[in-house]
Amino acid sequence: NAGVTQTPKFRVLKTGQSMTLLCAQDMNHEYMYWYRQDPGMGLRLIHYSVGEGTTAKGEVPDGYNVSRLKKQNFLLGLESAAPSQTSVYFCASSYRGLDYGYTFGSGTRLTVV
Amino acid sequence: AQTVTQSQPEMSVQEAETVTLSCTYDTSESDYYLFWYKQPPSRQMILVIRQEAYKQQNATENRFSVNFQKAAKSFSLKISDSQLGDAAMYFCAYRIGAGSYQLTFGKGTKLSVIP
C-alpha cells in the first residue's frame, strides 16, 4: 500500500546509545517531517526537509540530526540518547504547493532508560 | 509565532449524539489552512477535515463539520451522530498558506463515546 513507512515501530535504548529511525514514502512527496508526540504536548516539529539534500530545524531540534540523501527517505538520528527523548516519533510527508495535509507514518515508540 | 489552543483536554458524548470540540489559534497571517486530525488508539494520524482561510463556507465531510470564525480565530469541530469508532484524540492544526508547510498542532482533546 502507498504511504509512509517508519521503522522500527518500537525500540528501547540505554542512555548514551545511538540509533537511527528510518522513514520511507512512495508518494513522490517533496516535503518530509519528523515530529515527536509527548503526553499533553501535542505534536512538535523536530526537523523537516523541503527536498532531497536539504534539511531544516523545527521547534525542538536539539539532540537530533537528520538526513535526506534520497527523495523518498528521511532519517532521524539520535547520537547520544537521553531519557528526555522518550517519546513517540512520527514521520510525515506532503506535496509542495498542494494542500491536502500530511500523510503520516504509524509512529515509533522510543523508550530511553 | 503561531499557536493553537484546544481548551478541552477531555470530552465525552453519548452514542448518536452531537459533540463540538473547540480550537482557537493565534496568527497575523491572512492566508492559512486549518485541519482536524484524529488519532485512535492505533496511533495512526488520520486527516478528518480541512479548511482554507479564504473560504467563508464551512467545510463538511459526512458527519464531521467545522464552524470557522475567522475574525474570532476559532475553528471548532462538530461530530454528528457520534459512533463508538469516533473515540480518539483529536488534534487541531494550522499552517500558513505559503513559504512553509509546517503544521502547528494543538495539545489535543481526548473524546470518549459512551454506548
Side-chain angles (χ1 to χ4, degrees):
Chain A
N1 290 337
V4 177
T5 303
Q6 289 183 235
T7 54
K9 297 192 183 309
F10 303 92
R11 185 72 185 269
V12 178
L13 282 180
K14 294 183 179 179
T15 298
Q17 287 185 320
S18 63
M19 78 163 294
T20 300
L21 280 66
L22 172 63
C23 177
Q25 53 95 3
D26 58 4
M27 297 169 287
N28 203 34
H29 285 171
E30 293 88 353
Y31 287 24
M32 297 186 74
Y33 317 82
W34 277 106
Y35 282 84
R36 61 177 288 172
Q37 182 181 19
D38 303 293
M41 297 296 292
L43 279 78
R44 294 180 292 169
L45 183 65
I46 305 172
H47 285 282
Y48 65 99
S49 169
V50 300
E52 183 177 320
T54 71
T55 63
K57 294 180 179 180
E59 180 185 355
V60 288
D62 294 342
Y64 305 95
N65 57 76
V66 288
S67 64
R68 191 154 177 215
L69 299 179
K70 294 182 178 180
K71 185 177 183 178
Q72 63 268 34
N73 295 337
F74 194 31
L75 278 62
L76 177 70
L78 287 72
E79 291 187 347
S80 179
S84 61
Q85 294 178 303
T86 293
S87 188
V88 178
Y89 292 86
F90 284 96
C91 177
S93 66
S94 69
Y95 284 115
R96 177 180 182 274
L98 293 177
D99 182 50
Y100 297 101
Y102 290 179
T103 299
F104 281 88
S106 58
T108 296
R109 180 175 292 279
L110 175 66
T111 303
V112 183
V113 298
Chain B
Q2 290 79 24
T3 60
V4 178
T5 302
Q6 294 179 248
S7 59
Q8 306 149 316
E10 296 187 23
M11 291 195 71
S12 62
V13 61
Q14 291 285 145
E15 195 175 1
E17 296 296 311
T18 296
V19 64
T20 298
L21 308 183
S22 300
C23 173
T24 59
Y25 57 95
D26 183 26
T27 184
S28 58
E29 302 288 336
S30 59
D31 180 22
Y32 53 89
Y33 297 84
L34 296 162
F35 305 84
W36 278 99
Y37 279 88
K38 171 185 178 181
Q39 187 181 42
S42 68
R43 207 168 65 194
Q44 184 69 47
M45 294 288 287
I46 302 165
L47 178 63
V48 175
I49 200 165
R50 56 188 282 269
Q51 174 82 43
E52 296 92 332
Y54 63 86
K55 288 187 177 179
Q56 293 186 340
Q57 185 174 5
N58 290 325
T60 299
E61 289 288 342
N62 300 314
R63 298 182 294 108
F64 298 87
S65 61
V66 298
N67 183 5
F68 174 48
Q69 302 289 328
K70 191 171 183 177
K73 297 181 181 177
S74 172
F75 182 60
S76 60
L77 175 69
K78 185 173 80 171
I79 306 174
S80 304
D81 185 26
S82 296
Q83 300 175 359
L84 295 178
D86 295 333
M89 284 290 291
Y90 286 83
F91 293 96
C92 179
Y94 157 100
R95 77 157 182 87
I96 62 173
S100 170
Y101 292 84
Q102 303 171 47
L103 279 177
T104 300
F105 288 86
K107 295 182 178 181
T109 297
K110 183 178 181 180
L111 178 67
S112 301
V113 180
I114 303 166

